[in-house]
């Protein structure tokens, strides 16, 4: 039986990956902060099937202890301060978790478990203001926010450790992937939530945005720049790519994305269309929500992942958005039932 250690087990990807590995007979350890685990989280339903090790990515000793305890064959480093927008106000913390946390992990593996294979979560945000569209493994990085800058640092260190020490570290340059498990502060989930509220006739939502205001206020969902375009896929497809990377003979960097571009406008169209509504009646664009420096047009060229990993996404953009809206409808309906 193979053993895997997943950092960021409470996150979206951590939960899908844990399910994926358990289905393949792995013994799964999850690394998480104690206070995150005792709250309901994306992996709460797996509590009886995985072993949880408490620690913080900012503490090298926690990482070393977890490695010692789990002795994993495969390590999936997914932990991160993963909100690019928030990284502006938390830039030092973002570097500590996303950048230095990764280095601490690589170092601990090098000294304690040199044969273990590592998947490291890099990000398409690293391309930032890319001059080349679409982007592949050789495209230059032009990070535009503290999150992306920290990811570039960790990505380069992963390559340096691989080349210098012969470590098996594969980095997935993953493009945006969403799911029913995305937190509400991500714009995709806000749109799914907004569509569900509109369908249920909720004019002022109970859930609030980062500014403390209802996400849906006076029947409207406020968003930033609707022309922002991204390459969006479903998280369950993307965790499969992570695993396949660690089954290869050699480590490397892999761009993983659908190769299809959609705007927030498209996302609104599909989400509100799912509940038979016209998004234009329910969504407004608020200049206060536009990011200081918006990441440019990031679009994956996943040719290498297709060829080497034989990876293709199975869930379409429309299916992904549909799943998210359905989940929000169910959640809000359940809550309404409880409140009666
Ligand atoms: P997520 O849902 O935000 O999960 C991040 C995880 O990191 C959470 O479990 C979080 O735990 C944990 N974490 C944060 N700070 C930590 C710390 N100091 N010590 C230990 N754990 C800590 O993110 P995701 O969407 O699953 O993404 C997984 C990885 O892929 C991340 O590295 C992300 O940056 C990267 N990525 C994601 C996307 C995407 O579109 N989803 C695209 C490219 C790359 P708490 O519960 O304690 O917060």
């Amino acid at each position: 039986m193979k053993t895997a250690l997943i950092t960021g087990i409470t996150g979206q990807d951590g939960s899908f990956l844990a399910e994926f590995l358990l289905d393949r007979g792995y013994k799964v350890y999850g690394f998480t902060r104690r206070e995150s685990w005792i709250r309901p989280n994306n992996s709460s339903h797996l509590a009886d099937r995985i072993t949880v090790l408490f620690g913080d990515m900012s503490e090298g000793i926690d990482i070393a202890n977890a490695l010692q305890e789990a002795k994993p064959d495969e390590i999936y480093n997914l932990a991160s301060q993963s909100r690019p927008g928030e990284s502006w106000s938390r830039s030092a913390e973002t570097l500590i978790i996303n950048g230095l946390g990764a280095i601490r992990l690589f170092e601990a593996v090098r000294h304690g478990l040199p044969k273990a294979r590592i998947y490291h979560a890099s990000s398409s945000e690293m391309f930032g203001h890319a001059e080349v569209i679409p982007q592949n493994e050789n495209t230059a990085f032009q990070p535009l926010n503290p999150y992306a800058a920290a990811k570039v640092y960790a990505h380069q260190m992963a390559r340096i450790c691989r080349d210098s020490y012969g470590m098996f570290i594969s980095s997935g340059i993953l493009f945006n992937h969403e799911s029913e498990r995305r937190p509400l502060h991500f714009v995709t989930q806000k749109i799914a939530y907004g569509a569900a509220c509109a369908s249920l006739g909720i004019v002022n939502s109970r859930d609030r945005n980062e500014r403390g205001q209802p996400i849906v206020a006076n029947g409207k969902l406020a968003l930033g720049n609707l022309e922002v375009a991204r390459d969006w896929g479903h998280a369950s497809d993307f965790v499969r790519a992570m695993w396949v990377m660690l089954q290869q003979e050699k480590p490397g960097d892999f761009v993983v994305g659908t190769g299809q571009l959609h705007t927030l406008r498209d996302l609104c169209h599909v989400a509100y269309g799912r509940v038979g509504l016209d998004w234009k009646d329910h969504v407004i664009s608020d200049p206060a929500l536009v990011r200081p420096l918006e990441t440019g047009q990031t679009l994956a060229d996943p040719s290498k992942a297709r060829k080497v990993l034989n990876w293709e996404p199975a869930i379409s953009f429309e299916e992904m958005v549909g799943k998210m809206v359905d989940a929000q409808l169910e959640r809000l309906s359940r809550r309404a039932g409880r409140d009666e």
Side-chain angles (χ1 to χ4, degrees), residues 8-14 31-33 36 55-58 78-82 97 121-124 147 151 174-178 182:
I9 189 76
T10 58
Q12 168 188 266
D13 292 5
F31 180 82
T32 178
R33 294 176 285 191
S36 306
D56 194 306
M57 288 304 286
S58 60
L78 310 184
S80 102
Q81 190 300 96
S82 63
I97 301 168
S122 290
S123 167
S124 59
Y147 165 86
K151 284 284 184 188
L174 268 51
F175 282 62
N176 294 58
H177 45 282
E178 313 293 317
R182 259 302 205 199

Side-chain angles (χ1 to χ4, degrees), residues 39-253:
R39 285 197 298 265
N41 64 74
N42 285 314
S43 289
S44 296
H45 64 293
L46 301 173
D48 295 337
R49 302 176 65 201
I50 63 177
T51 304
V52 173
L53 302 170
F54 294 121
D56 194 306
M57 288 304 286
S58 60
E59 295 291 344
I61 188 74
D62 291 353
I63 298 170
N65 284 344
L67 291 173
Q68 188 83 33
E69 174 87 22
K71 298 200 171 28
D73 303 294
E74 297 174 7
I75 299 156
Y76 295 86
N77 183 34
L78 310 184
S80 102
Q81 190 300 96
S82 63
R83 304 169 206 170
E86 213 169 287
S87 70
W88 292 101
S89 56
R90 296 170 62 193
S91 54
E93 184 192 344
T94 301
L95 176 62
I96 288 169
I97 301 168
N98 301 9
L100 300 181
I103 313 313
R104 289 193 179 103
L105 174 71
F106 302 156
E107 280 296 297
V109 171
R110 179 163 83 90
H111 292 294
L113 278 176
K115 294 263 178 295
R117 295 182 167 205
I118 303 174
Y119 168 82
H120 173 68
S122 290
S123 167
S124 59
E125 283 278 325
M126 300 189 304
F127 293 125
H129 219 84
E131 279 155 20
V132 182
I133 301 171
Q135 294 92 32
N136 65 24
E137 294 76 10
N138 301 315
T139 306
F141 300 132
Q142 305 244 37
L144 287 177
N145 56 55
Y147 165 86
K151 284 284 184 188
V152 169
Y153 175 65
H155 181 83
Q156 300 290 16
M157 285 305 294
R159 182 184 52 75
I160 288 167
C161 288
R162 187 167 67 213
D163 294 347
S164 307
Y165 303 128
M167 294 175 73
F168 193 113
I169 308 180
S170 282
S171 296
I173 306 176
L174 268 51
F175 282 62
N176 294 58
H177 45 282
E178 313 293 317
S179 77
E180 316 77 87
R181 299 179 189 175
R182 259 302 205 199
L184 254 180
H185 49 254
F186 279 87
V187 66
T188 47
Q189 192 66 285
K190 277 201 184 103
I191 294 170
Y193 178 84
C197 284
S199 168
L200 296 171
I202 298 171
V203 179
N204 288 299
S205 67
R206 191 195 290 181
D207 295 289
R208 291 174 179 265
N209 60 24
E210 296 77 1
R211 296 183 295 176
Q213 296 154 346
I215 293 175
V216 172
N218 302 318
K220 302 286 183 201
L221 170 69
L223 299 175
N225 179 3
L226 295 175
E227 300 314 319
V228 166
R230 292 281 180 274
D231 179 333
W232 277 293
H234 193 277
S236 60
D237 282 331
F238 285 54
V239 300
R240 181 162 37 85
M242 298 174 188
W243 176 74
V244 182
M245 279 180 220
L246 295 199
Q247 312 316 308
Q248 301 303 301
E249 214 170 287
K250 288 189 195 144
D253 296 335

